Amino acid sequence: MSSHPSPALQAPADPGRLPMTLPLLAEKKRLGEPIVMVTAYDYPGARAAEEAGVDIVLVGDSAATTVLGYSSTTPVSLDDMLVLARAVRRGLRSPLMVGDLPFGSYEVSDERAIETAVRMVSEAGCEAIKMEGGGPAALSRARAIVGAGIPVMGHVGLTPQSATALGGWKAQGRTAAAAARIAQEALALQEAGCFSIVFEAVPAAVTEEIVRRIEVPVIGIGAGPATDGQVLVFHDLLGIRDGLGPRFVKRYANILEEMTAGVAAYAEDVRLRRYPGPEHVYKIDPAELEELRSQLA
Ligand code: KIV
């Protein structure tokens, strides 16, 4: 599969920056250079990620909670994800674009998983997909998608689509047995052909033990500093949603506060008739205006 989507889907190439590729990611791991990944769900988010020079952009199914207002990730549909991913595609040039397979779009069979992954690539310009889980069914789906020529990023530890089955939104791998299961799943996903694996909400010491046994880049979210890279949800790191979120989130801005203050200032201006001002209005030739008045009279 080409790692360069159709020009119709993608922003024009930036001659100053090499597009991120799977070999470049592997090279970053080899050199010990941290890999930066962030989620995006729309054109402005993609532009911010592009301009900031991140390596990987994930159109995450976290879109369900961040931009669609659901309380979990399971309600987001494949059609929703395709709309969001296309908007991201139009804003991205250099980072590798990965699309999350939403809940219900890949579990039932390998064929269904391939169909979904193909749509993420051909209809939205994703260069790779991410899917959750490392059990026997997930491994079969990952192998099938890789076999169809689409790069797959795995995801172990806290997998939000199965949060209920995992006992809620909490760290995973806190007993030796549970940690060993994460190690086993990660190794199996690597064996299935995944080019990278996300570790979510795993104790830092457990991550450290596993990462040194994994050859593909491991990207962490709440998994400590030993991973080859980090990913955060755009809305968490920029403070675009209420609450502080999980303990691993570091806030780099308070955009929701800024947005609310901006809308409140606009509302006040309208109510006090301060907006629009003379600088915001269109003009008409006085003779034309006079003519209009006589016509209306
Ligand atoms: O959907 C998402 O944002 C994710 C990241 C947390 C890795 O899966």
Side-chain angles (χ1 to χ4, degrees), residues 137-228:
L139 291 171
S140 175
R141 307 295 172 263
R143 242 180 256 116
I145 298 169
V146 171
I150 297 173
V152 175
M153 176 179 265
H155 184 159
V156 298
L158 175 59
T159 44
Q161 291 173 9
S162 40
T164 309
L166 294 173
W169 289 72
K170 56 184 197 184
Q172 302 294 306
R174 294 182 106 161
T175 63
R181 200 160 48 244
I182 293 174
Q184 217 172 51
E185 290 180 354
L187 285 164
L189 285 166
Q190 172 177 273
E191 186 65 32
C194 289
F195 72 94
S196 172
I197 303 168
V198 168
F199 277 35
E200 179 165 355
V202 175
V206 170
T207 304
E208 201 177 330
E209 290 301 323
I210 304 175
V211 162
R212 64 168 71 118
R213 294 167 169 83
I214 302 277
E215 285 161 24
V216 297
V218 171
I219 312 291
I221 174 163
T227 54
D228 303 299

Side-chain angles (χ1 to χ4, degrees), residues 18-213:
L18 278 180
M20 184 49 65
T21 59
L22 307 191
L24 278 176
L25 284 177
E27 182 67 359
K28 273 182 164 285
K29 176 178 172 98
R30 198 183 64 75
L31 297 173
E33 281 178 18
I35 297 167
V36 182
M37 172 163 149
V38 70
T39 66
Y41 317 102
D42 58 14
Y43 180 81
R47 294 303 309 144
E50 172 75 41
E51 293 302 318
V54 308
D55 302 307
I56 306 176
V57 168
L58 170 70
V59 186
D61 66 347
S62 48
T65 57
T66 54
V67 296
L68 299 179
Y70 294 116
S71 59
S72 77
T73 58
T74 50
V76 70
S77 70
L78 178 57
D79 286 341
D80 293 334
M81 291 298 292
L82 288 168
V83 170
L84 301 175
R86 280 196 285 265
V88 170
R89 178 73 279 164
R90 290 190 279 269
L92 279 192
R93 296 183 294 221
S94 311
L96 185 82
M97 179 171 152
V98 180
D100 233 353
L101 300 193
F103 179 69
S105 72
Y106 64 100
E107 294 87 342
V108 293
S109 68
D110 288 353
E111 291 70 26
R112 181 79 195 282
I114 294 172
E115 272 168 28
T116 300
V118 164
R119 289 192 67 190
M120 293 294 279
V121 171
S122 64
E123 295 179 33
C126 294
E127 294 162 281
I129 62 90
K130 178 172 84 55
M131 46 167 284
E132 295 187 3
L139 291 171
S140 175
R141 307 295 172 263
R143 242 180 256 116
I145 298 169
V146 171
I150 297 173
V152 175
M153 176 179 265
H155 184 159
V156 298
L158 175 59
T159 44
Q161 291 173 9
S162 40
T164 309
L166 294 173
W169 289 72
K170 56 184 197 184
Q172 302 294 306
R174 294 182 106 161
T175 63
R181 200 160 48 244
I182 293 174
Q184 217 172 51
E185 290 180 354
L187 285 164
L189 285 166
Q190 172 177 273
E191 186 65 32
C194 289
F195 72 94
S196 172
I197 303 168
V198 168
F199 277 35
E200 179 165 355
V202 175
V206 170
T207 304
E208 201 177 330
E209 290 301 323
I210 304 175
V211 162
R212 64 168 71 118
R213 294 167 169 83

